[in-house]
Amino acid sequence: MTLHLVKLCVGVDSVEDLQSWLDFQRDVARDEGHDFEHTHVTRMVPSRRDELLPGGSLYWVIKGMVQVRSPLIDIRPFTDKGGVKRCALVLDTKLVRTETQPRRPFQGWRYLKAEDAPRDARAVADAPDMPASMRRELAELGLL
């Protein structure tokens, strides 16, 4: 069974904000002549790697709500320049919107069982994306 991770997306106000940050990082890498790889560095290494890969995702909590996920590509433990063990979560650059799901604040990341993960949001082909503030209010009312 596939296992996922969930983590707070600190400093980000919306999915659009996260996408803008990714676009900026991609542009910086291109300008410096590097290939872009979306990674998120954590202090703890997930011990359940075989359950996370392949098929797991990192679900991002933005403003108290799970709103989007990034599919996991790889998990790479390493030691930084200061001798501290860390882990790079290698993520797909494509963000996948999910149904919103409230989450209380927590530190680090947590495992998320597949049956507890929010489903991917249904796309409405002819409708524009709903503003993040409206999506958040509707989710708080239990309408999303």
Side-chain angles (χ1 to χ4, degrees):
M1 178 179 285
T2 301
L3 189 64
H4 305 287
L5 297 174
V6 62
K7 182 162 185 6
L8 300 181
C9 196
V10 179
V12 171
D13 292 324
S14 66
V15 176
E16 294 77 17
D17 199 15
L18 178 57
Q19 184 63 59
S20 294
W21 181 84
L22 282 172
D23 294 342
F24 173 76
Q25 294 298 318
R26 183 181 300 114
D27 291 345
V28 168
R30 185 191 62 232
D31 292 347
E32 293 177 353
H34 305 292
D35 290 332
F36 176 67
E37 184 174 66
H38 180 199
T39 60
H40 181 76
V41 176
T42 69
R43 191 172 57 85
M44 301 300 292
V45 178
S47 60
R48 299 171 69 180
R49 185 181 199 280
D50 292 342
E51 295 173 77
L52 291 163
L53 298 174
S57 289
L58 176 61
Y59 283 77
W60 292 107
V61 178
I62 300 171
K63 294 293 184 185
M65 299 284 205
V66 175
Q67 298 184 41
V68 67
R69 68 181 176 87
S70 298
L72 281 164
I73 295 173
D74 199 6
I75 297 171
R76 297 183 191 144
F78 69 97
T79 303
D80 69 14
K81 294 175 185 176
V84 178
K85 291 186 180 187
R86 303 215 181 261
C87 178
L89 302 174
V90 183
L91 306 167
D92 193 315
T93 56
K94 180 183 177 208
L95 297 176
V96 180
R97 282 191 181 268
T98 66
E99 292 180 347
T100 56
Q101 183 183 77
R103 285 285 166 156
R104 293 183 186 263
F106 59 93
Q107 291 186 347
W109 51 261
R110 300 285 185 265
Y111 289 113
L112 179 64
K113 295 178 185 175
E115 62 267 18
D116 297 332
R119 296 179 300 191
D120 290 351
R122 291 179 291 179
V124 179
D126 297 325
D129 282 335
M130 186 182 305
S133 59
M134 183 183 292
R135 182 179 302 279
R136 191 169 31 256
E137 284 184 43
L138 290 172
E140 288 170 359
L141 294 170
L143 299 173
L144 274 183

